[in-house]
């Protein structure tokens, strides 16, 4: 089955085509048009600007993804004489319906509705967080339809610009959120910290670059200055709040620390390193505790912050050391930040369950819960 995925929840206009065959998913094309360069100068995503960009990008991106996948441009209702589906190989459209920015989401949803009507194929509304979860199943064979995969029960740490969640997965489509952030999301914390350190937007990749620079300095045997950092930031709610997180106090602690440090401009890599490690320590500690409590078979990571090299490395090693019987899955780097291959992959499972929505009834829900 061929599925077209569409994702426009924030500042990436994305479309992808996947082929799902008896639980095996292959990505045929995955096109992402990022607006990062546009929003950089404002220091964050401006919703109105994002929506206007989605409007201009959505059709070229869908066109490119169909062409790359080698799927013929489907026929419109009018051009078809004998009736029947006009999807030209595409059998369903999976589109993000929330959570996210309402004006951005609407562009993807209205496009999906028009295509569903014109091609006469069903549409599937996908929760963006579920999409991030399914980034881990891209290219991973699962028992088709019925039957429980040996991957379950699984625990997934989803860390993005808008969310920080620990979710139990009993089986495909069966989720239970056991922890989430009470204030800032992990990605949001990275973005705010980068702004305090005058490093630009988005913060995650740039903080991680500076942190790496500092790590290389202290681990290089030929480097004269290898002293361990004297900067210490808190690890918020490490042993309280159950599996919930809180990162806004960490950002405030960073602000106070740099305000009191006349030399802070020279120590940016050191601050970046400590800030990143504080977030990683909390994320890993709670993930391992939850995995132990719920006898988890698979630990997974997803969301934009899952692109962080140190988080990937340190969580993998913590799983191996502390819960060696569990396996660890992480998505390919290109499926960590927002993309439509993950939306189409989640769509494949919904298609197996025949969980379609009439295009007339498809609605945006910017606060949609998992
Ligand atoms: O999942 P995503 O693309 O969009 C949302 O659904 O929010 O995540 C974007 C977030 C941003 O906050 C960005 O700073 C963060 O992911 N991010 C990273 C890295 N790459 C992106 N955070 C830490 N390290 C990275 N390498
Ligand atoms: Zn996302």
């Amino acid at each position: 089955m061929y599925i077209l995925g569409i994702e426009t929840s924030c500042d990436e206009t994305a479309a992808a085509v996947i082929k799902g065959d008896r639980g095996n998913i292959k990505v045929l094309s995955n096109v992402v048009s990022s607006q990062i360069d546009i929003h950089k100068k404002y220091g964050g995503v401006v919703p109105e600007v994002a929506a206007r960009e989605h409007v201009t990008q959505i059709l070229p991106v869908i066109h490119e993804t169909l062409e790359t996948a080698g799927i013929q441009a489907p026929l419109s209702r009018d051009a078809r004489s004998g009736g029947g589906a006009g999807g030209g190989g595409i059998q369903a459209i999976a589109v993000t319906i929330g959570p996210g920015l309402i004006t951005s989401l609407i562009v993807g949803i209205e496009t999906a509705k028009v295509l569903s009507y014109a091609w006469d194929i069903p549409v599937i509304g996908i929760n963006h967080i579920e999409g991030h979860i399914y980034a881990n199943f891209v290219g991973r064979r699962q028992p088709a339809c019925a039957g429980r995969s040996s991957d379950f029960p699984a625990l997934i740490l989803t860390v993005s610009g808008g969310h920080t969640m620990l979710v139990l997965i009993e089986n495909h489509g069966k989720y239970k959120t056991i922890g989430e952030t009470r204030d800032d999301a992990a990605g949001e914390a990275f973005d705010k910290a980068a702004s305090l350190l005058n490093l630009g937007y988005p913060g995650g990749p740039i903080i991680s670059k500076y942190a790496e620079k500092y790590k290389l300095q202290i681990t290089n045997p030929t480097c004269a200055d290898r002293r361990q950092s004297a900067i210490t930031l808190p690890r918020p709610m490490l042993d309280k709040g159950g599996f919930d997180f809180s990162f806004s106090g960490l950002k405030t602690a960073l602000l106070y620390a740099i305000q009191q440090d006349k030399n802070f401009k020279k120590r940016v890599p050191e601050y970046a390193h400590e800030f990143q490690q504080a977030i990683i320590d909390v994320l890993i500690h709670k993930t391992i505790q939850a995995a132990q409590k719920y006898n988890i078979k698979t630990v997974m990571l997803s969301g934009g912050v899952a692109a962080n090299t140190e988080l990937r490395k340190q969580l993998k090693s913590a799983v191996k050391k502390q819960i060696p019987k569990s396996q660890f899955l992480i998505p390919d780097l290109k499926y960590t930040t927002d993309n439509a291959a993950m939306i189409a992959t989640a769509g494949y499972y919904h298609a197996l369950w025949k969980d379609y929505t009439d295009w007339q009834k498809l609605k945006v829900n910017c606060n949609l819960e998992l």
Side-chain angles (χ1 to χ4, degrees):
M1 157 173 237
Y2 293 90
I3 297 180
L4 170 69
I6 298 177
E7 154 64 39
T8 61
S9 67
C10 190
D11 60 341
E12 330 277 354
T13 317
V17 175
I18 62 141
K19 183 182 177 194
D21 181 17
R22 282 165 293 163
N24 199 23
I25 286 158
K26 197 170 161 205
V27 179
L28 303 184
S29 63
N30 182 41
V31 178
V32 181
S33 166
S34 173
Q35 302 173 8
I36 281 180
D37 287 341
I38 296 166
H39 297 287
K40 237 179 199 165
K41 53 180 176 286
Y42 306 110
V45 178
V46 183
E48 166 71 18
V49 176
R52 276 189 250 162
E53 272 305 300
H54 285 309
V55 171
T56 59
Q57 290 304 309
I58 190 78
L59 290 181
V61 163
I62 290 175
H63 181 73
E64 187 184 335
T65 214
L66 290 175
E67 230 177 39
T68 311
I71 302 270
Q72 273 208 331
L75 294 174
S76 70
R77 272 178 190 256
D78 284 351
R80 268 177 280 132
S81 49
I90 299 287
Q91 282 142 302
I93 301 165
V95 62
T96 307
I97 54 167
L101 301 171
I102 188 158
T103 43
S104 289
L105 287 160
I106 281 174
V107 179
I109 293 171
E110 292 304 313
T111 308
K113 282 182 182 178
V114 170
L115 294 179
S116 164
Y117 171 76
W119 297 346
D120 201 11
I121 57 172
V123 66
I124 306 158
I126 299 292
N127 181 311
H128 182 74
I129 304 297
E130 189 180 25
H132 275 302
I133 290 174
Y134 272 86
N136 279 286
F137 291 101
V138 175
R140 188 168 180 79
R141 187 176 272 280
Q142 293 288 294
C145 209
R148 193 171 190 244
S149 154
S150 57
D151 289 341
F152 301 123
L155 173 74
I156 184 152
L157 172 67
T158 297
V159 266
S160 70
H163 293 86
T164 300
M165 296 167 82
L166 271 171
V167 176
L168 284 179
I169 312 177
E170 278 301 323
N171 202 346
H172 287 290
K174 286 214 176 328
Y175 316 110
K176 186 174 172 210
T177 303
I178 56 164
E180 53 196 325
T181 182
R182 295 186 181 176
D183 40 57
D184 293 351
E188 189 181 356
F190 271 109
D191 294 336
K192 288 179 174 168
S195 159
L196 293 176
L197 296 169
N198 289 320
L199 298 178
Y201 173 85
I206 190 136
I207 294 251
S208 108
K209 212 170 93 192
Y210 275 88
E212 184 61 21
K213 202 166 144 185
Y214 182 71
K215 188 180 160 193
L216 286 177
Q217 181 190 320
I218 57 169
T219 52
N220 179 355
T222 62
C223 180
D225 186 8
R226 287 170 58 209
R227 80 204 141 75
Q228 288 298 314
S229 177
I231 298 168
T232 50
L233 292 171
R235 271 59 177 160
M237 301 221 308
L238 197 64
D239 284 310
K240 49 181 190 194
F243 299 119
D244 278 354
F245 303 90
S246 163
F247 293 114
S248 87
L250 176 62
K251 167 201 69 194
T252 311
L254 174 69
L255 173 68
Y256 290 157
I258 61 179
Q259 275 175 345
Q260 284 160 18
D261 184 351
K262 288 195 191 79
N263 256 336
F264 108 82
K265 284 199 175 128
K266 287 192 187 137
R267 301 172 79 193
V268 166
E270 203 172 333
Y271 278 104
H273 182 266
E274 173 64 7
F275 186 84
Q276 174 177 283
Q277 196 54 49
I279 291 189
I280 292 176
D281 284 348
V282 178
L283 293 176
I284 293 182
H285 184 78
K286 298 222 172 198
T287 305
I288 298 292
Q289 272 193 337
Q292 283 166 334
K293 175 167 176 185
Y294 291 98
N295 267 322
I296 289 303
K297 284 198 184 147
T298 310
V299 176
M300 305 182 197
L301 182 62
S302 75
V305 181
N308 187 282
T309 314
E310 278 300 315
L311 175 61
R312 293 166 83 88
K313 234 195 283 181
Q314 293 184 31
L315 183 55
K316 185 178 177 188
S317 134
V319 169
K320 202 170 160 194
K321 272 193 209 132
Q322 297 180 53
I323 38 173
K325 287 194 180 129
S326 305
Q327 63 168 339
F328 179 60
L329 296 181
I330 24 175
D332 222 64
L333 266 187
K334 59 179 175 290
Y335 303 130
T336 54
T337 47
D338 290 350
N339 67 88
M342 67 187 196
I343 303 299
T345 302
Y348 171 70
Y349 286 90
H350 283 266
L352 293 179
W353 309 322
K354 304 261 178 287
D355 180 18
Y356 299 121
T357 309
D358 282 347
W359 65 261
Q360 291 96 331
K361 291 190 183 146
L362 197 70
K363 272 203 191 116
V364 61
N365 182 352
C366 52
N367 296 315
L368 187 64
E369 294 198 352
L370 191 64

